[in-house]
Amino acid sequence: MRLKFLRTLLVLALLGNIIVWHRIWRLFATQNTLRLLTPSVVTPDPPQKLHRRLSRLVTVVIRQFETFENDVASTVESVLNFFPTIPILIVCNELPYPPLELDFANDSMQNVKIVNLQPEFNKSYDERSPLFYIRTKYVLFLPDGSRLSTKQVMQETMSQAAKLGAVTIPIGSATLRCINIDLKVKEWSLKFSHLTGSECGGVSGKHATMLETKLLRKLTDPFLLPFMDALYIQTTALGAKIHILSNYHFNEGKSLYRNQQSQWKVQQLHQSRERSMFEKLGIKKVIRDSNVIEWYGCSRESNRCFGSVINGVPSYLYKNRYTPPCCLSGLRKVAHHVFDKLEEVGIRFWLESGSLLGAMRNGDILPWDHEVQIGVNRDDLERSPWLIKAMNKPIVDNQGFVWEKATEGEFFKVQYSKINHLTVNILPFYAKNGSMVKDAWFLNNRDFPEQFLHPMSSIEFAGRQVPCPNNIRDFLELKYFKGVIENPELPGNISF
């Protein structure tokens, strides 16, 4: 009987606890519902808590500044006034001299670090990498000579970066312009043009940029100079867009480069850095927003505009790239020169092999070809004074083109210059038993029936009409394989 009474007491106590906890749960649920329905009662983070939270989420990076004139010290102090514990990286190609006016012995500077990208003894690769020191989710790239405005602007910038990805904020009264960046890696080319709207490939005008660190880590050279230009080209390669936050702004700091000498010096440095950037990123053709075309890395005076050619395969094909556009431009000039010189003396010639294939496909040199090939009638060679002279030794004509007899077969070459060896190959054929044949092997060109040249036809090639065999499809399929015009093969059976 006593045992039964105790069990009853335990059951009642358990039920009582359940009822009490149920009432407590309902009370909290009611309060939470009221809080959700009444936003005005939400208490914002106190300033101290806000700056600590942002300091754990954002690293400020100052990348591009000049040692001969800068405002880095005041820019750093401006950030620390709002966020005393935020990590700040000052990234430079070499230690600045004169030194920056920053007292690193001061406790307030404990989270400020200079990262020198230049190799140094007793410093590992990681110690020279800014990414090694960035442990936050976001990075704010702050230009030299700027000031933070309020903590709230930093908070809003980070919120927008979380929604949109990479965002930019004007500095002072700067008007930012949206730039479209058309990057064609395979064609080594880059085109800039202006856009309307706030979603851009790049941005011009003084501004700060915030993005997620994980995007920065995907870039091939995240701290390349000129910094913002290189950054936006690389983010474009990843398909990322930059969003202009025109409703926010940071403040302008010290005005820099006011005298003519400083402006000239900065301009020269920018041009030098830009040229180096294009070379490192493999960009050889740049079309500015004014439609001006600039060539980088392969002029007539350049040693060569691409790497080695081994067994007929140029090195750039292994990088999944076509022939650099400046090489194609140079090849067209050499081809036009050769056509003119052969026509002047009445030498019969026609487009051969890959050049004829390019003419059939797109009226131009094949995008991956590195030379132009033309056939000539061997009996006509002595009509050209340049070919006669080239039989004995290389000769430079009065326009700087080099004529020479090839060492690897019975044919001739005409090169862009003594330095730049962009080449048109002149391949001599002669008639024998109804076929056009050659004396020795050269460039895998097959013999073919003489009827393809009687009569000859013409075709658009590199901006002009050029003689070619008749029945072009049959001619090319004889040289290569059936269906070659629609489905050509890259040298070395490389496939993109």
Side-chain angles (χ1 to χ4, degrees):
M1 189 73 180
R2 185 183 182 90
L3 183 61
K4 189 174 182 180
F5 177 73
L6 288 173
R7 285 178 178 173
T8 304
L9 283 177
L10 285 171
V11 170
L12 290 173
L14 182 61
L15 288 172
N17 279 333
I18 292 173
I19 291 169
V20 169
W21 281 109
H22 178 69
R23 287 181 176 275
I24 292 172
W25 174 81
R26 289 193 65 183
L27 179 62
F28 274 101
T30 302
Q31 289 177 345
N32 285 337
T33 302
L34 287 172
R35 188 177 293 114
L36 289 171
L37 295 174
T38 316
S40 60
V41 302
V42 178
T43 305
D45 287 339
Q48 194 70 11
K49 185 176 179 181
L50 175 62
H51 91 65
R52 285 200 300 267
R53 188 165 72 88
L54 286 173
S55 296
R56 291 193 297 270
L57 290 171
V58 180
T59 297
V60 175
V61 175
I62 301 171
R63 171 59 180 116
Q64 188 162 338
F65 60 92
E66 307 304 341
T67 55
F68 60 86
E69 185 179 348
N70 63 72
D71 190 38
V72 172
S74 297
T75 302
V76 169
E77 289 168 5
S78 159
V79 177
L80 294 178
N81 286 339
F82 286 100
F83 302 99
T85 60
I86 199 168
I88 301 175
L89 293 182
I90 303 167
V91 182
C92 50
N93 284 8
E94 56 185 24
L95 285 177
Y97 187 83
L100 301 175
E101 296 177 355
L102 293 169
D103 183 8
F104 288 96
N106 193 312
D107 289 341
S108 65
M109 302 289 291
Q110 60 183 343
N111 293 318
V112 180
K113 185 172 184 62
I114 293 181
V115 181
N116 179 14
L117 300 179
Q118 190 177 52
E120 281 187 70
F121 289 115
N122 304 319
K123 275 203 172 181
S124 68
Y125 177 82
D126 282 344
E127 289 175 300
R128 294 186 291 105
S129 171
L131 292 174
F132 178 75
Y133 302 97
I134 299 175
R135 312 293 171 84
T136 55
K137 184 175 182 179
Y138 299 97
V139 179
L140 173 67
F141 293 109
L142 196 62
D144 185 20
S146 55
R147 308 283 188 265
L148 296 192
S149 47
T150 65
K151 292 179 181 178
Q152 284 68 32
V153 169
M154 179 76 101
Q155 169 70 44
E156 290 298 326
T157 301
M158 190 184 71
S159 299
Q160 293 298 320
K163 296 176 188 176
L164 302 173
V167 297
T168 65
I169 311 97
I171 302 296
S173 59
T175 300
L176 304 188
R177 291 197 299 174
C178 195
I179 298 173
N180 179 59
I181 300 176
D182 183 11
L183 174 64
K184 295 181 179 178
V185 176
K186 192 177 289 187
E187 288 82 12
W188 311 71
S189 65
L190 182 64
K191 182 178 181 179
F192 298 104
S193 56
H194 285 299
L195 278 177
T196 56
S198 60
E199 185 178 276
C200 323
V203 177
S204 66
K206 190 170 183 179
H207 62 278
T209 299
M210 184 179 285
L211 48 78
E212 287 194 65
T213 303
K214 65 181 181 181
L215 175 60
L216 189 69
R217 293 184 184 278
K218 293 178 181 179
L219 306 184
T220 182
D221 195 342
F223 299 93
L224 183 63
L225 294 178
F227 179 65
M228 299 312 299
D229 295 342
L231 178 72
Y232 293 145
I233 291 171
Q234 293 176 80
T235 54
T236 295
L238 296 177
K241 293 294 183 181
I242 313 299
H243 300 265
I244 297 176
L245 305 181
S246 55
N247 293 330
Y248 309 97
H249 77 279
F250 291 151
N251 293 333
E252 183 76 69
K254 177 183 175 183
S255 181
L256 297 170
Y257 321 126
R258 300 182 68 178
N259 65 62
Q260 190 173 359
Q261 183 179 6
S262 294
Q263 292 171 6
W264 178 86
K265 196 169 183 179
V266 169
Q267 184 181 18
Q268 295 300 307
L269 284 169
H270 177 78
Q271 291 176 358
S272 172
R273 290 165 179 163
E274 189 178 56
R275 180 170 291 277
S276 176
M277 172 188 69
F278 290 144
E279 182 180 349
K280 288 181 179 179
L281 296 180
I283 295 170
K284 295 183 181 291
K285 181 181 181 181
V286 177
I287 305 175
R288 301 291 182 179
D289 53 12
S290 60
N291 286 324
V292 172
I293 298 177
E294 298 174 356
W295 301 104
Y296 290 88
C298 50
S299 68
R300 196 172 189 182
E301 289 72 38
S302 302
N303 189 26
R304 63 188 313 150
C305 61
F306 50 82
S308 299
V309 178
I310 299 175
N311 295 326
V313 183
S315 58
Y316 53 78
L317 291 182
Y318 290 104
K319 300 177 183 179
N320 288 340
R321 290 189 167 196
Y322 288 149
T323 309
C326 47
C327 301
L328 294 175
S329 176
L331 264 178
R332 294 185 193 102
K333 293 176 183 176
V334 185
H336 288 182
H337 181 70
V338 173
F339 299 156
D340 290 340
K341 292 300 179 185
L342 296 182
E343 287 175 349
E344 282 177 8
V345 295
I347 291 181
R348 293 165 287 179
F349 69 93
W350 59 90
L351 282 180
E352 265 285 346
S353 306
S355 299
L356 182 59
L357 179 59
M360 277 293 285
R361 284 181 57 82
N362 57 3
D364 203 348
I365 302 168
L366 288 169
W368 55 83
D369 214 349
H370 62 280
E371 57 193 9
V372 169
Q373 298 186 44
I374 61 174
V376 298
N377 194 304
R378 188 186 67 175
D379 297 337
D380 295 345
L381 291 180
E382 292 187 357
R383 296 181 183 179
S384 169
W386 300 112
L387 289 175
I388 293 173
K389 293 175 183 177
M391 291 179 184
N392 298 316
K393 63 178 182 179
I395 184 74
V396 181
D397 67 24
N398 50 12
Q399 295 183 46
F401 295 90
V402 180
W403 300 65
E404 67 177 6
K405 190 172 185 299
T407 57
E408 61 267 39
E410 294 295 321
F411 64 99
F412 296 86
K413 294 181 175 182
V414 182
Q415 295 174 167
Y416 198 13
S417 68
K418 282 184 176 181
I419 299 172
N420 192 321
H421 293 177
L422 289 170
T423 302
V424 170
N425 293 317
I426 300 175
L427 316 175
F429 287 85
Y430 61 96
K432 182 178 180 181
N433 298 326
S435 294
M436 296 300 293
V437 300
K438 52 195 179 300
D439 279 338
W441 171 90
F442 51 71
L443 304 178
N444 294 323
N445 268 267
R446 296 183 180 180
D447 300 342
F448 58 91
E450 190 177 1
Q451 65 189 27
F452 281 110
L453 301 181
H454 301 295
M456 279 202 286
S457 184
S458 68
I459 193 169
E460 178 79 16
F461 179 74
R464 64 186 285 174
Q465 287 292 315
V466 181
C468 68
N470 58 56
N471 296 317
I472 298 174
R473 177 176 292 276
D474 292 343
F475 182 83
L476 287 172
E477 290 184 348
L478 174 68
K479 292 271 182 173
Y480 293 104
F481 54 85
K482 192 171 182 63
V484 66
I485 296 173
E486 291 75 22
N487 300 292
E489 293 179 352
L490 272 67
N493 294 320
I494 294 173
S495 177
F496 286 169

